[in-house]
Amino acid sequence: MAGISLLSICFYFLAFSLAKSEKLSIYVYSVAIEILISMVFSVVCLGLTCNFQLFLIDAMFFIFAMDYMVLRKKNKNHIAILFCCVYAIALILLYTIDGFYTPLYELAPVVSRSISISILSIAVILIIICMMYLLQFMSSEEGAMEKQAQFDALTEIPNRFFMMAKLKYIFEADNQGDYYLAMIDIDDFKKINDSFGHNVGDDALKILARTIVNKARGVELSYCRWGGEEFLLLGKCVNGEVPKNFLDELRVEINSKTFWTSKGSGRMTVTIGAGKYKVGQDYKEWINFVDKQLYVGKCTGKNKVVC
């Protein structure tokens, strides 16, 4: 037993170098094999009464947790399943042959019972710790996925799904009458893409998004990239009206920003259609209304706020 323990210590020192060199899959599966060999040998030496075989159950949790948290194999976990099958077969065989062989070492009943209780306690604690870390990891992953689902990858601001959820919330709270919506659209965005390329068009979208974010500081304002070159704002009315001065300041500030191209610098203008909530509208009708306001602005010269 002492020799096996010494070999295990040497193994973990060597395996640690695999972890440091980022060969994590080899490290995890090597540990899984070492656990299997050590536990089987421990049972052969001391028998089932010491409960060393319970560590094989712990190892099942370990291999799946490592596959999910470290190796990130969320779909293809065939190796983990294979190891669990091997562990299960080893457990069945150990319990099957119990009574047909004599352990290599006979321990006094009090010693055997003490080891058994200690191993059982450690095994349960390890399972609890493993499950806690796995649940914590899954919770953080779920939060990251939820954020990814509600944020636009290019501009790094919320997307339309975030805004739809926000609108549903204020309608459920029945306080939509305090708010206004504003749709922002880059004028002649297709020309920017056609003249300078889509990379420059992406830069223009990022500049617009950053300008909105900066302008929203200190103001109760939600925003999102609605789609394409359109952005949607949801803000509180001022004295019961749409704050046209604020939106006009935003329009001017966007126009003052410069984007760079292979042909020199450029600037963009935007048209903004806005409107406060009208009694009887649902949120889709409200969005359609501000979209029509935006269309009026496009048809009457662009680079303006219509509300």
Side-chain angles (χ1 to χ4, degrees):
M1 288 294 292
I4 290 294
S5 297
L6 184 60
L7 288 174
S8 294
I9 292 171
C10 293
F11 163 79
Y12 282 109
F13 271 116
L14 292 173
F16 183 69
S17 64
L18 294 175
K20 290 185 67 175
S21 61
E22 297 185 354
K23 297 178 181 177
L24 292 176
S25 58
I26 298 176
Y27 170 72
V28 169
Y29 300 138
S30 298
V31 169
I33 294 171
E34 192 280 334
I35 291 172
L36 175 64
I37 295 172
S38 296
M39 293 309 103
V40 170
F41 189 81
S42 298
V43 172
V44 169
C45 289
L46 300 176
L48 290 173
T49 56
C50 289
N51 279 333
F52 279 99
Q53 68 277 5
L54 295 181
F55 283 125
L56 293 178
I57 299 175
D58 281 344
M60 294 182 188
F61 284 91
F62 165 79
I63 194 69
F64 269 109
M66 291 301 100
D67 248 29
Y68 191 79
M69 292 189 293
V70 178
L71 304 182
R72 301 299 181 96
K73 294 182 179 179
K74 299 176 184 178
N75 296 319
K76 300 178 180 179
N77 54 0
H78 302 125
I79 297 179
I81 294 173
L82 176 63
F83 269 108
C84 287
C85 290
V86 172
Y87 290 152
I89 292 170
L91 275 170
I92 293 170
L93 287 175
L94 288 172
Y95 279 105
T96 300
I97 65 176
D98 184 41
F100 293 95
Y101 77 97
T102 302
L104 297 180
Y105 302 99
E106 290 290 341
L107 299 177
V110 65
V111 175
S112 178
R113 190 178 303 110
S114 298
I115 294 175
S116 175
I117 293 172
S118 299
I119 296 298
L120 178 60
S121 300
I122 294 171
V124 171
I125 290 170
L126 288 176
I127 289 176
I128 292 172
I129 291 173
C130 186
M131 291 302 297
M132 285 176 61
Y133 273 105
L134 186 58
L135 289 172
Q136 183 179 1
F137 178 81
M138 292 174 66
S139 178
S140 64
E141 285 283 288
E142 184 180 351
M145 290 176 65
E146 184 177 347
K147 181 177 179 182
Q148 186 178 9
Q150 292 192 339
F151 276 74
D152 177 59
L154 176 65
T155 60
E156 298 182 347
I157 67 171
N159 58 25
R160 68 187 299 154
F161 299 108
F162 168 87
M163 184 62 77
M164 293 293 282
K166 185 81 174 177
L167 286 168
K168 287 180 181 178
Y169 174 78
I170 67 168
F171 268 78
E172 288 171 0
D174 199 28
N175 65 345
Q176 64 270 25
D178 298 331
Y179 288 86
Y180 71 91
L181 280 175
M183 184 83 76
I184 303 173
D185 185 86
I186 299 176
D187 296 327
D188 302 314
F189 184 67
K190 187 175 184 301
K191 288 184 180 179
I192 295 176
N193 281 328
D194 292 345
S195 301
F196 307 116
H198 288 277
N199 287 337
V200 175
D202 289 347
D203 289 341
L205 292 170
K206 292 176 185 177
I207 290 169
L208 195 158
R210 284 197 298 269
T211 306
I212 292 173
V213 171
N214 292 333
K215 192 68 176 174
R217 287 173 182 159
V219 179
E220 188 171 346
L221 185 70
S222 299
Y223 46 81
C224 77
R225 183 183 179 191
W226 188 247
E229 67 273 23
E230 291 184 335
F231 293 74
L232 189 65
L233 309 181
L234 172 68
K236 275 286 187 75
C237 291
V238 177
N239 298 323
E241 298 296 333
V242 176
K244 185 175 181 180
N245 290 339
F246 171 81
L247 295 175
D248 212 43
E249 289 172 6
L250 175 60
R251 178 190 62 81
V252 172
E253 192 166 335
I254 292 169
N255 181 237
S256 70
K257 304 297 181 182
T258 301
F259 57 84
W260 296 93
T261 75
S262 58
K263 300 177 183 179
S265 62
R267 292 187 179 182
M268 61 183 149
T269 63
V270 297
T271 301
I272 303 175
K276 65 179 183 179
Y277 172 76
K278 293 182 179 179
V279 177
Q281 288 180 324
D282 61 29
Y283 60 88
K284 291 181 181 178
E285 291 171 332
W286 193 10
I287 293 170
N288 288 335
F289 173 73
V290 297
D291 192 37
K292 289 177 182 177
Q293 295 286 77
L294 173 65
Y295 181 74
V296 171
K298 291 286 188 181
C299 294
T300 55
K302 303 177 182 178
N303 192 22
K304 61 173 64 175
V305 177
V306 178
C307 57

